C-alpha cells in the first residue's frame, strides 16, 4: 500500500489514503465525502500513486486488484479515478458519499494479436501542454512495470487528457451477480441525469442516479496510450523504472519541439530519453535514450524527480530515501567536442555552434538557427565535415563497461583485399551511435536502450545484430595474416549430428566389448547353456545322502515299516499309535527324532 496522497484545490483537501490501523479501509476523502466503505467494487486493495487537479475534476492514479478479472484469477490493473470538485454528496442516506466517483483502466501495452501489458503504474508526471504532429494536446506521462513474478519489464506511456474524458463519457461496466461476467451496461439502463457528472447541487439528484453510481463506477473501455504504444521499454532484471519527470517542449535549432523525459530506476540511475517522432506525427514512436547517469549507489531506488527552472539555471532534483541531489539538465560541452559527436547526442538541449565551434545549450540558437547544427531524428548532419554519412543499418554490440557504450564493427585495415569477419568482435576505438569514432576522454555514455532509438520498439529493448549477406567466414588464401582474425563457427545442426554419432558409436562399442568379456569369463566346463552336468551331479549327491541316512535307522522285523516315534510296527486293523498296542517289540537304545 502506497503512502497517502493529498491535493489541495479551492481550499479543500482531497486525500487518497486508508482508514483504521490495519489499513483495511481504503478511501478517497474530502470532508465529509468518501468512497463506499468495505466495497471492493470501489477500491480493492489500492496502491495510490499521484493526484492531479484539472478543470472541474480531481484525478487519482493508482493500481489495484481488478474486480472485473476476479472470475478468471487475480490480476492488478492500473486505474485513473476522478471526483467532481462541486460534489456535495447525495440526498438522504448518501449525504456523506461521492456522487461523481468513476474509475477506468489505463492501457499501457505492446499492441498485437495478444498484447503484452505493463499493468502496474508507478509514477506520473504533471499535465504537459504541447504540439504533437502539429496538433495541440495535453499529455500525462506515466511509468509502468510488470508484476514481480512475471517477465521483468518497465515502460513509459503517455495518455491524452482528451482520451481520459472520452472514456469517462463512454459505457459503464457491470455484472448482475458475483458469479456473472462483467459486461457493458446498456444505454437504456443508464438513468438521467447521467451518473458521474458535475452538477450544480448533487443533493438534488434522484436516488436512482445515486444508486446506479454506487454499483456501476467502473467504465467499460480503457484509456488508450497516446501514440498507440509505449515510448520507452526496458526488459531485464538489473533495474525497474520507479519515477518520471518531464521538461516539456524543448525547442531545437530547426524549430522542432520535444518533451525530455527523466526516468528514475530502483538501482540509483536516471535515464534521459525522448520520443524522436513526437514533433512530426501523433502516431509515430522513435524512442531515443540520450544518456544514463548513476546518481546514487547501486540498489538505492530513486523515489522522486523534479525539474525546476530559474532565471539563471535549470536543474533536476533527484530524491532517494536518504538523500537529495541536484543535476544539470544537460552536459553538452562535457559529452561532445566535435560537430558530429554533438549532433549524435540527439539531445534537444545541445547544438553545435559553428562560429565558436563548441557544443552548447545556449538559447541563442533559437535566434540564430542557421549558425547551429542539430538533428534529433537522424543524429547526423551534412554540415559536420569530419565524418561521412553513417550506414543506415550499423551492426552494434553492447559494451561490457559499467556504463554501456555502443560499438560499430568495421573491417580492420588489410594490406591486401580481405573479407570482413562475420563474427562480432569488440574494437579498441569507441564510436558514436552513427558510426563515427569518438575521443575516449569525451565520448558520451550510451545506454542499452540506445539501439531501440533506431528500430521499432520491441519487448527486450535490444535488437539482434543484423548480419550482412555479403559477409562470409572464408578468407582469401593469399592473406595468411588476416586468416588469424577469423574463427570457425559450427552450426547447431553440426553439433547435434556430432553428439548423436558419438552416442551411437559408444553403444555399439560397449555392446561388443561386453559380449566378448562375458564369453571369456564363463566356466570352461560348461560348454552350452543346456549342459546337464551340474544337474546330474546334484542328483548323484542326493542318492548318496539317502544311503548314508539308512545306516542310522534300526533294523525292523520282517522288514515292516515302523513308527519312528514309538518304534512299533503297524498292525492290521489298528493304527500304530493306538494305546492298546503301545509296547515296544524290542529294546531301543536311542530314538531319532
Amino acid at each position: 500500500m502506497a503512502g497517502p496522497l493529498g491535493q489541495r484545490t479551492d481550499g479543500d483537501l482531497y486525500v487518497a489514503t486508508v482508514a483504521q490501523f490495519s489499513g483495511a479501509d481504503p478511501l478517497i476523502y474530502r470532508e465529509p465525502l468518501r468512497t463506499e466503505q468495505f466495497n471492493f467494487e470501489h477500491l480493492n486493495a489500492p496502491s495510490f500513486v499521484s493526484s492531479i487537479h484539472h478543470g472541474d475534476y480531481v484525478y487519482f492514479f493508482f493500481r489495484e486488484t481488478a474486480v472485473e478479472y476476479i472470475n478468471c484469477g487475480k490480476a492488478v490493473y492500473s486505474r485513473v479515478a476522478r471526483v467532481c470538485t462541486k460534489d456535495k454528496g447525495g440526498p438522504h442516506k448518501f449525504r456523506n458519499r461521492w456522487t461523481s466517483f468513476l474509475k477506468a483502466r489505463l492501457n499501457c501495452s505492446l499492441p498485437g494479436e495478444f498484447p503484452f501489458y505493463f499493468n502496474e503504474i508507478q509514477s506520473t508526471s504533471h499535465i504537459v501542454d504541447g504540439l504533437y504532429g502539429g496538433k495541440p494536446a495535453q499529455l500525462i506521462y506515466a511509468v509502468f512495470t510488470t508484476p514481480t513474478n512475471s517477465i521483468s519489464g518497465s515502460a513509459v506511456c503517455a495518455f491524452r487528457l482528451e482520451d481520459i474524458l472520452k472514456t469517462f463519457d463512454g459505457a459503464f461496466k457491470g455484472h448482475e451477480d458475483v458469479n456473472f461476467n462483467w459486461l457493458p451496461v446498456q444505454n437504456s439502463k443508464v438513468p438521467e441525469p447521467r451518473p458521474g457528472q458535475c452538477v450544480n447541487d448533487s443533493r438534488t439528484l434522484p436516488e436512482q442516479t445515486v444508486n446506479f453510481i454506487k454499483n456501476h463506477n467502473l467504465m467499460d473501455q480503457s484509456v488508450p496510450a497516446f501514440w498507440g504504444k509505449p515510448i520507452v521499454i526496458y526488459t531485464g532484471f538489473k533495474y525497474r523504472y520507479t519515477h518520471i519527470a518531464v521538461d516539456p517542449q524543448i525547442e531545437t535549432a530547426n524549430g522542432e519541439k520535444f518533451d525530455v523525459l527523466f526516468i528514475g530506476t530502483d538501482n540509483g540511475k536516471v535515464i534521459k530519453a525522448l520520443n524522436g517522432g513526437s514533433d512530426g506525427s501523433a502516431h509515430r514512436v522513435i524512442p531515443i535514450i540520450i544518456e544514463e547517469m548513476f546518481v546514487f549507489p547501486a540498489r538505492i531506488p530513486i523515489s522522486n524527480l523534479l525539474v525546476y527552472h530559474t532565471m539563471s539555471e535549470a536543474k533536476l532534483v533527484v530524491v532517494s530515501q536518504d538523500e537529495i541531489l541536484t543535476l544539470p539538465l544537460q552536459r553538452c560541452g562535457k559529452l561532445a567536442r566535435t560537430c558530429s559527436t554533438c549532433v549524435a547526442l540527439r539531445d534537444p538541449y545541445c547544438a553545435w555552434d559553428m562560429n565558436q565551434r563548441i557544443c552548447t545549450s545556449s538559447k541563442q540558437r533559437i535566434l540564430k538557427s542557421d549558425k547551429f547544427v542539430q538533428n534529433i531524428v537522424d543524429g547526423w548532419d551534412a554540415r559536420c565535415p569530419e565524418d561521412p554519412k553513417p550506414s543506415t543499418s550499423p551492426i552494434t554490440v553492447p559494451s561490457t563497461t559499467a556504463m554501456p557504450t555502443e560499438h560499430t564493427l568495421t573491417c580492420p585495415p588489410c594490406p591486401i583485399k580481405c573479407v570482413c569477419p562475420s563474427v562480432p568482435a569488440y574494437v579498441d576505438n569507441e564510436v558514436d551511435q552513427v558510426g563515427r569514432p569518438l575521443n575516449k576522454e569525451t565520448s558520451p555514455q550510451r545506454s542499452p536502450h540506445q539501439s531501440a532509438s533506431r528500430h521499432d520498439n520491441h519487448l527486450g529493448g535490444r535488437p539482434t545484430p543484423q548480419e550482412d549477406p555479403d559477409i562470409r567466414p572464408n578468407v582469401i588464401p593469399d592473406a595468411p595474416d588476416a586468416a588469424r582474425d577469423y574463427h570457425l563457427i559450427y552450426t547447431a545442426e553440426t553439433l547435434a549430428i556430432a553428439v548423436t554419432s558419438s552416442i551411437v558409436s559408444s553403444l555399439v562399442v560397449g555392446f561388443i566389448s561386453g559380449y566378448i568379456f562375458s564369453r571369456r569369463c564363463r566356466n570352461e566346463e560348461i560348454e552350452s547353456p543346456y549342459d546337464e552336468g551340474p544337474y546330474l551331479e546334484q542328483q548323484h549327491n542326493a542318492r548318496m545322502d539317502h544311503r548314508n541316512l539308512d545306516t542310522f535307522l534300526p533294523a525292523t522285523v520282517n522288514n515292516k515299516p515302523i513308527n519312528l516315534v514309538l518304534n512299533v510296527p503297524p498292525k492290521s486293523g489298528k493304527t500304530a499309535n493306538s494305546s492298546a498296542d503301545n509296547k515296544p517289540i524290542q529294546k531301543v537304545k536311542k530314538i531319532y527324532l
Side-chain angles (χ1 to χ4, degrees):
M1 179 75 67
L5 299 176
Q7 182 72 39
R8 182 169 292 279
T9 302
D10 300 331
D12 294 324
L13 180 62
Y14 295 78
V15 179
T17 184
V18 292
Q20 298 183 352
F21 291 104
S22 62
D25 183 19
L27 74 161
I28 294 176
Y29 176 78
R30 188 205 69 192
E31 189 179 6
L33 305 181
R34 59 158 295 164
T35 51
E36 291 290 334
Q37 188 176 24
F38 305 125
N39 190 335
F40 294 150
E41 295 185 6
H42 280 233
L43 295 172
N44 188 9
S47 294
F48 297 106
V49 170
S50 65
S51 61
I52 298 174
H53 172 232
H54 181 78
D56 293 334
Y57 298 99
V58 175
Y59 297 89
F60 295 89
F61 295 86
F62 59 96
R63 59 187 183 271
E64 67 170 352
T65 304
V67 292
E68 69 269 32
Y69 194 79
I70 197 67
N71 291 333
C72 301
K74 184 177 180 180
V76 175
Y77 286 172
S78 297
R79 307 287 197 193
V80 54
R82 78 174 187 185
V83 292
C84 180
T85 56
K86 300 178 183 179
D87 198 336
K88 298 179 181 180
H92 308 299
K93 62 180 180 180
F94 299 103
R95 62 182 181 274
N96 294 331
R97 298 291 185 266
W98 294 104
T99 64
S100 58
F101 175 77
L102 296 176
K103 64 179 181 180
R105 182 184 180 185
L106 296 171
N107 182 2
C108 181
S109 63
L110 285 170
E113 183 178 0
F114 300 97
F116 184 87
Y117 289 94
F118 299 87
N119 276 331
E120 300 187 8
I121 189 171
Q122 303 294 332
S123 171
T124 64
S125 69
H126 59 278
I127 298 177
V128 176
D129 293 312
L131 291 174
Y132 307 94
K135 298 181 180 180
Q138 293 178 310
L139 301 183
I140 299 175
Y141 292 89
V143 165
F144 294 81
T145 62
T146 57
T148 56
N149 60 345
S150 68
I151 298 174
S152 179
S154 303
V156 175
C157 285
F159 299 93
R160 186 171 56 176
L161 194 60
E162 180 182 351
D163 294 330
I164 297 177
L165 295 176
K166 286 182 179 179
T167 302
F168 285 122
D169 291 337
F172 293 92
K173 186 186 287 289
H175 66 141
E176 297 182 2
D177 192 72
V178 176
N179 297 322
F180 282 68
N181 290 332
W182 287 71
L183 300 173
V185 178
Q186 298 178 5
N187 292 332
S188 60
K189 296 183 179 180
V190 179
E192 291 292 340
R194 180 182 170 87
Q197 303 296 318
C198 277
V199 295
N200 293 329
D201 191 353
S202 60
R203 293 171 294 185
T204 63
L205 290 172
E207 289 195 10
Q208 184 181 8
T209 298
V210 181
N211 276 324
F212 183 89
I213 200 66
K214 176 183 177 181
N215 300 318
H216 301 85
N217 54 73
L218 179 62
M219 309 311 298
D220 180 57
Q221 298 295 324
S222 59
V223 182
F226 193 64
W227 292 299
K229 63 176 69 175
I231 302 168
V232 182
I233 291 178
Y234 172 78
T235 55
F237 295 95
K238 293 184 178 180
Y239 57 84
R240 286 172 172 257
Y241 296 165
T242 58
H243 207 85
I244 188 170
V246 181
D247 195 8
Q249 298 295 283
I250 303 301
E251 188 173 355
T252 62
N254 56 1
E256 297 177 336
K257 293 182 179 180
F258 300 93
D259 296 334
V260 181
L261 314 179
F262 296 91
I263 308 167
T265 68
D266 60 0
N267 70 336
K269 184 188 296 185
V270 173
I271 300 170
K272 186 177 178 182
L274 59 85
N275 177 15
S278 61
D279 182 78
S281 173
H283 305 283
R284 187 183 182 191
V285 174
I286 305 177
I288 298 175
I289 302 300
I290 302 171
E291 186 180 4
E292 291 189 356
M293 300 166 284
F294 280 99
V295 181
F296 299 117
R299 295 184 295 278
I300 295 182
I302 293 175
S303 58
N304 204 348
L305 292 172
L306 175 65
V307 176
Y308 78 94
H309 291 267
T310 63
M311 295 297 296
S312 59
E313 61 180 358
K315 294 288 185 179
L316 175 68
V317 180
V318 186
V319 182
S320 70
Q321 186 176 359
D322 302 319
E323 296 181 75
I324 298 178
L325 295 177
T326 59
L327 299 174
L329 298 183
Q330 51 78 27
R331 299 189 298 166
C332 303
K334 295 181 179 180
L335 298 181
R337 296 183 181 179
T338 64
C339 178
S340 60
T341 54
C342 183
V343 177
L345 289 176
R346 308 171 82 176
D347 191 337
Y349 298 109
C350 303
W352 180 256
D353 189 342
M354 300 180 66
N355 293 333
Q356 300 184 15
R357 301 188 63 79
I358 58 173
C359 189
T360 178
S361 62
S362 174
K363 295 182 179 180
Q364 295 180 358
R365 69 178 187 268
I366 307 301
L367 304 176
K368 302 178 181 179
S369 59
D370 57 335
K371 300 298 181 182
F372 289 86
V373 182
Q374 196 174 17
N375 192 327
I376 302 300
V377 178
D378 299 326
W380 174 87
D381 196 282
R383 289 174 290 179
C384 294
E386 60 265 25
D387 286 315
K389 184 177 180 179
S391 173
T392 57
S393 59
I395 302 175
T396 59
V397 292
S399 172
T400 57
T401 58
M403 181 65 68
T405 59
E406 282 193 341
H407 300 273
T408 299
L409 299 181
T410 56
C411 291
C414 301
I416 59 177
K417 182 180 179 180
C418 65
V419 181
C420 184
S422 61
V423 182
Y426 293 99
V427 293
D428 294 333
N429 54 338
E430 293 185 355
V431 294
D432 62 14
Q433 61 181 353
V434 293
R436 293 180 289 274
L438 296 176
N439 189 335
K440 289 186 178 181
E441 298 179 356
T442 61
S443 60
Q445 294 175 331
R446 318 308 297 171
S447 76
H449 302 256
Q450 187 66 42
S451 57
S453 65
R454 297 188 298 276
H455 301 274
D456 271 346
N457 197 1
H458 296 287
L459 185 63
R462 301 183 185 180
T464 304
Q466 302 175 358
E467 293 189 5
D468 192 341
D470 297 331
I471 295 177
R472 286 172 173 72
N474 60 331
V475 186
I476 297 178
D478 297 335
D481 296 335
R484 287 191 294 269
D485 296 333
Y486 304 100
H487 304 279
L488 184 60
I489 295 181
Y490 296 99
T491 62
E493 291 80 0
T494 305
L495 179 61
I497 293 173
V499 172
T500 304
S501 301
S502 301
I503 294 173
V504 173
S505 301
S506 301
L507 290 175
V508 173
V509 173
F511 178 78
I512 296 175
S513 302
Y515 179 77
I516 296 175
F517 181 78
S518 63
R519 295 289 297 178
R520 289 182 174 273
C521 294
R522 290 184 58 187
N523 191 348
E524 295 182 356
E525 296 179 358
I526 302 175
E527 296 182 357
S528 68
Y530 305 100
D531 194 350
E532 299 180 353
Y535 176 76
L536 296 177
E537 183 179 355
Q538 184 179 3
Q539 294 288 353
H540 176 72
N541 294 335
R543 288 195 297 268
M544 293 297 295
D545 294 338
H546 183 267
R547 286 195 293 267
N548 294 334
L549 181 62
D550 293 342
T551 58
F552 294 95
L553 296 177
T556 60
V557 179
N558 300 326
N559 293 329
K560 296 180 180 181
I562 62 173
N563 189 306
L564 295 180
V565 177
L566 301 178
N567 199 15
V568 177
K571 296 181 180 180
S572 61
K574 297 183 180 181
T575 59
N577 296 329
S578 61
S579 59
D581 299 325
N582 193 9
K583 296 180 181 180
I585 296 178
Q586 59 181 357
K587 293 183 180 180
V588 178
K589 296 181 180 180
K590 295 182 180 180
I591 298 175
Y592 294 90
L593 298 179

